[in-house]
DNA sequence: TATTGTTATACTCTATAACTATA
DNA sequence: TATAGTTATAGAGTATAACAATA
């Protein structure tokens, strides 16, 4: 890994060992993305996590909370408030599952589909902006590298 | 030997539009890193953020809180408790700055230097583990890509 | 006036344990 | 016994506004 130490865009402040730690840069890049994300979704009532839930529910009609949570790395307990929020916003419909009366079957409402579509449009523009310095093949390469790191997670 | 880790709890669940969003994968990869990080630093009393502060203070003796915060993207107000914590742990020494009586000059204590060294050792091993699937040139490429995204952040 | 550190505050995200009702 | 959803709770991280001392 060639000398990253020489690339120091900060105001004279050295980052020390952080400079060449992937974990640090992952954190900062992720935070940079998230900070702008809030601005991008302003007015839609959506947040990063809620959008994630909408996306998974849209792609898996009648999925239940637990499975949504597991796919996104969200605890069962923390899913409750998120789903309540989406139901109260009339974005998600929640019915007792026909095959398992403990579970809820989740679906997007028509409004939920509209909101999701609107968010997707904004988010695609946001990605375009954040990744504008990266060539097209670099973007794909980045995502593939990130997926290999995600796969390393231990439960 | 069968690999038990192979069992993915989100089997069959589609992520929808998230699948090819860099922001999503950034978030998940960053979370994967952070989750293991806590385990790696267990017993040292350190956390991701505290380690970041130690690293910057070590690299910039007599730096003040505000500059540390700015370099790491931490608000002034939130730096207070972090520095207090490090001072109470006897890892950081805090003196009124000679050239500016509003500010504190921060330095690592001898113990702080030891703890930092210990953390660096563990973190390097952690990085090695998390990035074991990536070739050496891929790791450098990943960090460079991430730095270009960080640079996109708006203040 | 601007800046350094500070307090107070609030919201989100995350993590755990214990409960209920079904399976 | 195990699982789906729930409640309660607590700890972090993050964000803003306002203040005192100093520049």
């Amino acid at each position: 890994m060639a000398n990253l130490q020489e690339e120091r865009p900060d105001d004279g402040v050295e980052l020390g060992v952080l400079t060449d730690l992937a974990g640090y840069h992952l954190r900062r890049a992720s935070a940079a993305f998230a900070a702008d994300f809030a601005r991008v979704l302003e007015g839609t009532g959506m947040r990063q996590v809620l959008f994630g839930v909408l996306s998974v529910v849209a792609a898996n009609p009648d999925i239940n909370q637990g499975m949504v949570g597991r796919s996104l790395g969200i605890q069962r307990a923390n899913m409750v408030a998120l789903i309540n929020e989406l139901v109260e916003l009339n974005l998600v419909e929640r019915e007792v599952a026909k095959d398992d009366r403990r579970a809820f079957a989740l679906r997007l409402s028509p409004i939920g589909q509209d909101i999701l579509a609107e968010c997707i449009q904004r988010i695609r523009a946001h990605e375009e902006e954040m990744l504008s310095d990266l060539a097209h093949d670099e973007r794909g390469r980045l995502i593939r590298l990130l997926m290999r790191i995600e796969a390393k997670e231990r439960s």
Side-chain angles (χ1 to χ4, degrees), chain A:
Chain A
M1 178 178 328
N3 45 337
L4 294 155
Q5 311 272 4
E6 286 175 8
E7 302 165 26
R8 177 158 45 86
D10 238 300
D11 344 306
V13 177
E14 283 282 355
L15 290 176
V17 68
L18 295 178
T19 310
D20 60 335
L21 289 183
Y24 169 72
H25 290 288
L26 223 29
R27 182 177 155 87
R28 291 306 299 272
S30 177
F33 240 92
D36 253 30
F37 206 88
R39 238 183 311 251
V40 164
L41 292 192
E42 221 159 65
T44 66
M46 286 296 96
R47 278 166 288 147
Q48 235 177 354
V49 190
L50 292 180
F51 172 76
V53 173
L54 281 191
S55 175
V56 171
V57 171
N60 307 270
D62 289 337
I63 192 173
N64 67 35
Q65 293 183 197
M67 294 190 74
V68 174
R70 251 167 281 148
S71 74
L72 292 173
I74 304 172
Q75 307 278 333
R76 281 198 316 290
N78 296 326
M79 282 300 299
V80 179
L82 296 175
I83 297 295
N84 282 343
E85 203 175 339
L86 290 172
V87 168
E88 273 154 34
L89 288 167
N90 290 313
L91 305 183
V92 162
E93 293 164 356
R94 172 174 51 184
E95 286 182 6
V96 172
K98 285 168 185 159
D99 55 327
D100 185 343
R101 278 154 45 213
R102 294 171 302 182
F104 287 128
L106 304 175
R107 282 180 164 276
L108 287 206
S109 71
I111 303 178
Q113 290 174 12
D114 289 350
I115 293 283
L116 178 61
E118 166 71 18
C119 288
I120 289 174
Q121 206 170 356
R122 297 198 195 188
I123 289 168
R124 290 239 186 260
H126 178 236
E127 289 250 328
E128 182 58 42
E129 186 186 341
M130 294 296 288
L131 302 178
S132 62
D133 283 355
L134 275 55
H136 248 86
D137 61 319
E138 285 180 315
R139 302 181 192 187
R141 216 179 296 152
L142 172 64
I143 290 184
R144 258 174 272 126
L145 288 170
L146 293 174
M147 288 175 78
R148 283 156 74 186
I149 292 173
E150 290 172 51
K152 279 286 176 180
E153 182 157 32
R154 300 190 218 161
S155 61

